[in-house]
Amino acid sequence: MEIKSEISNLTSNFLIKNYGIKVEKIEIQNTKKDFTGDVTVVLFPFFKLINKDEISEFGKILGSYLIKNSAHIIDFNIVAGFLNLSISDKYYLNFIDSIKDDLNFGKSKSSNETYIVEFSSPNTNKPLHLGHIRNNLLGYSISKILEANGKTVQKVQIINDRGIHICKSMVAWKQFAEGATPDSEKTKGDKFVGDYYIMFDKVHKDQMSQLIDSGMDKDVASENTEIMKAAKKELMNWEKNNKETRQIWKMMNDWVYDGFDKTYSLLGVSFDKNYYESETYLLGKNIMEEGLKKGVLYEREDSSVWINLDNEGLDEKLL
């Protein structure tokens, strides 16, 4: 019998036997961490039902009764109107032993509800970091909790596999790798690609400093380094479906996916379906064009597209 149910039954029997009181519900809770004990019986509701002269001794008598009639309760203490009970280690060991072979322990029957849990969803220009680990463990845990509650769960991620940040890694690899690969460098694929993203940033900053020293404005210099121009050109080539650009893009993304898979395996997480931005971004563009026509969205002077969500208690959001 579950320990709280046992305590509830024993307390009910005690009240009937000693006081002629029948109580429908015995309030039992986990003992607060500041006090000694495992389970607490709340005594206050009983005080109005018994003689005032007996209140001071009531908890002691009940505690002694529970110890005498339960093989699992080994000690008690009283704090105000709370009876804190200590449970034997043997009870917990026996309980664990009784369920250790039951793979379905604690799980609910299957229902018709389906949940989608989206987590991880990384960029393909660098390895997974500590924030991704937190995201993965939370997402996978939520998925397993839902499954244990009888829900059908689809674990998905939306991978950001295109854009200027991806092109930065590609350009750095083209300019500086001299044909190196994760295998040739004996490096995990996502770490290998991430190193070239870091290299891009270093070269970009060096070139930017030279332009600033020549008198160029900082913001203008940031957009006009040679390596940044090359990254923008690479992005345009990608959107034009340039064969060489697409081949390098696929090759480097595959390196990253191989590295991601190794990390997911170490974490013990998995996914039922992957969505890729490279397969959905045109749909997004079409939706934004429709939003602009209908006036739901608006465009600023720099051609960026926004939505005003003031009426929803939010602010303007860049799309």
Side-chain angles (χ1 to χ4, degrees):
M1 181 186 294
E2 200 270 337
I3 191 64
K4 288 185 179 179
S5 296
E6 179 183 326
I7 293 170
S8 179
N9 290 338
L10 287 172
T11 302
S12 294
N13 293 336
F14 169 83
L15 292 170
I16 293 172
K17 180 178 179 180
N18 292 276
Y19 297 92
I21 299 171
K22 187 174 182 179
V23 179
E24 291 185 3
K25 183 179 180 181
I26 310 296
E27 186 176 349
I28 301 174
Q29 58 192 28
N30 295 332
T31 302
K32 294 183 178 179
K33 63 180 181 180
D34 297 329
F35 302 106
T36 301
D38 301 294
V39 177
T40 296
V41 180
V42 181
L43 303 179
F44 292 112
F46 311 137
F47 289 169
K48 61 184 179 181
L49 303 175
I50 62 176
N51 190 299
K52 290 183 179 179
D53 296 334
E54 298 176 297
I55 289 177
S56 61
E57 294 297 317
F58 177 78
K60 295 178 182 178
I61 298 171
L62 174 57
S64 298
Y65 177 87
L66 293 173
I67 287 178
K68 182 179 178 180
N69 289 275
S70 172
H72 307 308
I73 301 171
I74 57 175
D75 198 7
F76 72 89
N77 67 85
I78 300 170
V79 179
F82 299 96
L83 173 61
N84 303 319
L85 306 172
S86 295
I87 310 303
S88 69
D89 292 340
K90 186 177 180 181
Y91 166 79
Y92 295 110
L93 293 171
N94 289 340
F95 179 74
I96 292 171
D97 187 61
S98 70
I99 66 171
K100 70 179 189 303
D101 297 322
D102 183 3
L103 298 180
N104 292 314
F105 176 79
K107 295 184 178 180
S108 302
K109 292 182 179 180
S110 297
S111 69
N112 294 325
E113 293 180 278
T114 298
Y115 285 75
I116 295 176
V117 181
E118 181 258 314
F119 58 99
S120 194
S121 299
N123 298 337
T124 58
N125 62 317
K126 55 188 176 183
L128 300 174
H129 51 65
L130 188 60
H132 287 110
I133 293 176
R134 175 182 180 275
N135 188 319
N136 275 282
L137 297 183
L138 284 174
Y140 197 75
S141 297
I142 289 170
S143 300
K144 302 308 288 184
I145 290 170
L146 287 169
E147 287 179 359
N149 280 275
K151 317 303 182 188
T152 298
V153 178
Q154 291 292 304
K155 304 183 297 295
V156 307
Q157 60 175 332
I158 305 167
I159 300 173
N160 187 355
D161 65 337
R162 63 161 294 280
I164 189 66
H165 51 301
I166 310 299
C167 292
K168 289 177 180 179
S169 297
M170 292 168 59
V171 164
W173 182 83
K174 288 173 67 175
Q175 292 187 7
F176 305 109
E178 297 181 349
T181 69
D183 287 340
S184 70
E185 301 304 305
K186 295 181 172 56
T187 304
K188 194 159 160 278
D190 51 345
K191 170 67 165 56
F192 178 83
V193 173
D195 287 344
Y196 284 98
Y197 183 71
I198 294 171
M199 184 181 295
F200 176 97
D201 185 63
K202 182 180 182 304
V203 174
H204 171 62
K205 286 179 178 177
D206 290 343
Q207 293 181 359
M208 187 176 161
S209 295
Q210 295 175 16
L211 293 176
I212 292 172
D213 290 343
S214 69
M216 188 177 289
D217 177 79
K218 180 180 178 181
D219 292 336
V220 177
S222 178
E223 297 298 322
N224 285 277
T225 63
E226 291 303 314
I227 198 166
M228 180 62 78
K229 289 179 181 178
K232 290 179 179 180
K233 183 178 179 181
E234 198 76 1
L235 179 59
M236 293 175 65
N237 286 338
W238 187 93
E239 296 197 356
K240 292 176 182 177
N241 208 24
N242 177 273
K243 184 177 180 180
E244 179 189 356
T245 297
R246 287 290 184 125
Q247 285 178 338
I248 294 174
W249 167 77
K250 184 180 184 307
M251 176 182 68
M252 295 185 72
N253 274 350
D254 285 344
W255 291 340
V256 172
Y257 297 143
D258 182 65
F260 285 174
D261 286 345
K262 291 176 181 176
T263 300
Y264 292 143
S265 178
L266 288 170
L267 291 174
V269 305
S270 60
F271 299 90
D272 298 303
K273 185 172 178 61
N274 295 327
Y275 294 91
Y276 301 92
E277 186 179 331
S278 59
E279 297 174 356
T280 61
Y281 85 105
L282 288 177
L283 174 62
K285 283 187 174 183
N286 293 337
I287 291 172
M288 286 205 286
E289 287 174 359
E290 182 180 355
L292 288 169
K293 290 179 182 177
K294 292 182 176 180
V296 177
L297 311 178
Y298 65 93
E299 192 171 353
R300 291 188 177 177
E301 292 181 359
D302 62 358
S303 297
S304 58
V305 178
W306 294 71
I307 185 169
N308 189 329
L309 298 175
D310 287 344
N311 292 336
E312 305 298 328
L314 302 170
D315 54 11
E316 295 175 300
K317 299 296 182 183
L318 171 66
L319 300 178

